[in-house]
Amino acid sequence: MLAQRLTALDHPQIEVIEELQLHIEHVMDLRSDVPVLFIDASVAIESGFTIEKIAPVADNSYSTHTVSPQALQHLVEPTHKQPAPEAWMLHICGRSFELGEDVSAATAQYVEDAWQYLSSELLAEEVAFVPGWPGSILGDGITNPDVGSGKADS
């Protein structure tokens, strides 16, 4: 949902890669000099959306069918011989993830809210949550728990 909208922006400095899951091969899409925003539906939040800065973490997810964004970041240094890029995770509240199931009305609204926030940030001269933006966006610095909760200033 957001990937199509971000692609439609046709911003010359934004690359959108849409995948249902991250795989180890996605490390080839990362460069240390290009900030990354991972976008994911999440049961970790109660409602709305949040954005947080994430750091590389060596975990065992690289050996499963999906890789965590943090593990993917961790793999940048040994693969490219350069530091991992700055990265953020945009969590959008979701509750049901069955194949073929429609997005709930609440989740659709959270996606819309996240889009309003992202599009205003991405089209601004200076993006508040990431110096050096724009960059790559992978998936369907501040950590601000109020962003997306209806409490953040817009």
Side-chain angles (χ1 to χ4, degrees), residues 144-154:
N144 184 348
D146 293 337
V147 170
S149 66
K151 299 176 196 171
D153 296 331
S154 40

Side-chain angles (χ1 to χ4, degrees), residues 2-15:
L2 282 179
Q4 294 90 351
R5 289 180 176 189
L6 289 162
T7 300
L9 284 177
D10 198 28
H11 196 293
Q13 294 179 297
I14 296 175
E15 177 184 0

Side-chain angles (χ1 to χ4, degrees), residues 86-107:
E86 288 192 276
W88 288 260
M89 174 65 89
L90 173 65
H91 301 273
I92 301 174
C93 180
R95 291 289 174 251
S96 182
F97 302 99
E98 298 300 320
L99 285 176
E101 191 171 332
D102 288 335
V103 173
S104 71
T107 298

Side-chain angles (χ1 to χ4, degrees), residues 49-106:
F49 68 93
T50 62
I51 190 166
E52 65 176 327
K53 189 166 186 175
I54 60 173
V57 173
D59 64 25
N60 293 328
S61 69
Y62 66 88
S63 65
T64 66
H65 69 280
T66 187
V67 178
S68 73
Q70 295 86 344
L72 201 59
Q73 275 187 285
H74 175 74
L75 293 170
V76 170
E77 189 165 343
T79 304
H80 296 296
K81 307 296 187 235
Q82 55 185 251
E86 288 192 276
W88 288 260
M89 174 65 89
L90 173 65
H91 301 273
I92 301 174
C93 180
R95 291 289 174 251
S96 182
F97 302 99
E98 298 300 320
L99 285 176
E101 191 171 332
D102 288 335
V103 173
S104 71

Side-chain angles (χ1 to χ4, degrees), residues 92-154:
I92 301 174
C93 180
R95 291 289 174 251
S96 182
F97 302 99
E98 298 300 320
L99 285 176
E101 191 171 332
D102 288 335
V103 173
S104 71
T107 298
Q109 184 59 56
Y110 302 148
V111 169
E112 182 61 32
D113 295 345
W115 169 247
Q116 294 303 316
Y117 174 76
L118 268 184
S119 61
S120 67
E121 285 292 309
L122 293 174
L123 297 175
E125 282 189 39
E126 189 172 319
V127 177
F129 67 88
V130 52
W133 193 267
S136 295
I137 296 175
L138 272 173
D140 173 274
I142 66 167
T143 300
N144 184 348
D146 293 337
V147 170
S149 66
K151 299 176 196 171
D153 296 331
S154 40

Side-chain angles (χ1 to χ4, degrees), residues 19-33:
E19 295 286 349
L20 292 176
Q21 296 177 328
L22 293 175
H23 301 280
I24 197 166
E25 295 84 2
H26 285 111
V27 73
M28 302 309 293
D29 298 316
L30 302 179
R31 295 189 354 234
S32 66
D33 61 334

